[in-house]
Amino acid sequence: MSTNHHHEPNIFQLEPAEVTQDVINKTRVRGSKYWGIIALLGGLLVLGIVGLIMRLDSETTKLGYYAATFSFLFTTTQTAPLVSVAFRLAKNHWRRPIARASELFAIVGLFNLLIFIPLMIALPSTEGRWTIWIQAASWSPHVFDTMMLISLVLCGLGLLWAGAIPDFASLRDRNGSKIHSMLAMGWQGTVRQWKVQRGFLGFLGAFYFMGIIWTHYVISSDFSMSLVPGWVDSIYPTFHALSGLQAALATMLVTAYILRRFGGYKEYIPMETFWGMSKIFVATSLLWFYFWWSAFITYWYGRMEGEQAVLQLINFGPYLYAWVIAFLFCFVFAVFLLIWNPIRKSPGALASIAVMVLIGCFFDRIRLFVSSWSVSDLRDKHHLYVKDLPDTVLPETPDIMIMVGFIAGAVLVYMLASRIVPVMSIWEMRELRLYQRAGTLVRKKVMILGKPE
């Protein structure tokens, strides 16, 4: 039995057959506004590609904003499927309306992989640097980081496909395209097929969770920390991954709000979904500060010249503005606003806070990656001195084109993918309809939920 003291429970009213037809119609039908947005995003992506071409002809130290943009997209989009994975393992029901929207971000991983290739090629050699690869060959990060990202992308696509097979069959049976028939793989909905599908979801979900944490580790280490002489911090990769969890929740709050407000899925996405995510959102905002402080305090009390130089570079020196914005948006304002129940009860307010956190995350990646690439060509690979710190690297026209263009490109890929894969999981919403009913407890309306396992 489920009850909530802060808002009335929302009972999903559509019958299973109505869910199937409604979601299929929303997937197939796209108006002029949709294609107008697609055209705009496509134009911005072209500008981003032009900006990248312009920037690749310059010095390595000029690629900081490109690295920050890649890290931001990886942090937000490829960590987003964890929202579905984690909450499915917890076997809660309120995550069902956002499960497919979360898993659909795995397709953006293909886009991230493409923009990773130029960055990987431009990565300075590890010769003479302190890296996580110890005495390995200078090509180690190039090969192993690429392998990790490719494996993560394939695992994410497998997770999406396994979760969407029943929906592909529904589309196939209603005059779907050949691609839906192929992706359905002869699905007939037998008991054995459902058991295999559940097994695949659990197996791939576990591997995706492990893979995303490890990929956060190697990307933050090889494309940021190892470029700064004297920066050796075992907590920083954990902070990078944890901030990814916060950004993933922010991404899903914004996505859920857009689907509810503009996508026609208001009756599918109840207040319980936002309420559930908001609680975890508060926790990750607090953990953001905890891990940042754990890394910061060690260097602060160390007082060694190299450690002070590192703090000046990534916190208090040329990128002080980025650190202040990240600290305020990702921790101070986020926690202060999210502790109030009226705010956590409002989808619009939660989406606004999520946008604020995403902005803070982007500036956090600027302070970490732009600062790192700005000192990547120093002759002394083991020690950093305050006198060696460069001035603030402000974005130039190619950098602005890259940031706007590639973020737009990620949104473009997601929207195009929603034409093939339903953004709402048909079979999970049908299942939810069978598990819930309305009831009364001491004159209060409550929702009674069944537990399949």
Side-chain angles (χ1 to χ4, degrees), residues 270-400:
M271 186 60 234
E272 281 79 7
T273 299
F274 292 93
W275 181 260
M277 282 196 290
S278 69
K279 299 174 184 178
I280 313 299
F281 201 29
V282 177
T284 55
S285 299
L286 290 169
L287 287 172
W288 188 98
F289 172 78
Y290 175 80
F291 281 101
W292 172 83
W293 178 256
S294 298
F296 167 80
I297 201 66
T298 303
Y299 272 59
W300 177 261
Y301 277 106
R303 309 305 294 177
M304 295 179 64
E305 184 178 4
E307 294 173 336
Q308 296 302 300
V310 171
L311 288 183
Q312 284 293 317
L313 176 66
I314 63 175
N315 287 303
F316 307 126
Y319 299 95
L320 174 64
Y321 77 95
W323 175 79
V324 169
I325 294 175
F327 187 80
L328 291 176
F329 285 14
C330 292
F331 170 61
V332 178
F333 295 158
V335 173
F336 177 78
L337 293 172
L338 288 170
I339 61 176
W340 303 102
N341 285 336
I343 291 180
R344 297 209 307 273
K345 289 168 57 179
S346 170
L350 285 173
S352 299
I353 296 172
V355 170
M356 179 188 69
V357 168
L358 290 175
I359 294 173
C361 178
F362 187 75
F363 277 93
D364 189 55
R365 295 306 181 251
I366 287 176
R367 80 172 178 95
L368 294 171
F369 284 82
V370 177
S371 62
S372 300
W373 284 74
S374 70
V375 297
S376 61
D377 61 348
L378 293 180
R379 292 184 178 181
D380 191 338
K381 306 298 182 183
H382 296 299
H383 300 284
L384 181 67
Y385 302 97
V386 175
K387 63 180 179 63
D388 294 328
L389 297 182
D391 295 331
T392 306
V393 178
L394 296 174
E396 299 174 351
T397 300
D399 301 315
I400 296 174

Side-chain angles (χ1 to χ4, degrees), residues 112-154:
N112 294 339
L113 181 61
L114 290 176
I115 65 176
F116 171 76
I117 294 174
L119 189 66
M120 179 267 295
I121 296 174
L123 181 68
S125 171
T126 60
E127 186 176 355
R129 300 183 186 275
W130 288 333
T131 72
I132 60 175
W133 305 106
I134 314 298
Q135 299 298 325
S138 60
W139 45 261
S140 295
H142 300 76
V143 173
F144 293 122
D145 291 9
T146 304
M147 290 175 58
M148 283 300 305
L149 190 57
I150 291 175
S151 300
L152 184 68
V153 170
L154 292 177

Side-chain angles (χ1 to χ4, degrees), residues 163-182:
I165 289 179
D167 293 353
F168 291 143
S170 296
L171 287 162
R172 174 202 63 195
D173 296 339
R174 287 167 172 78
N175 298 321
S177 62
K178 292 183 179 179
I179 189 171
H180 290 128
S181 179
M182 179 182 65

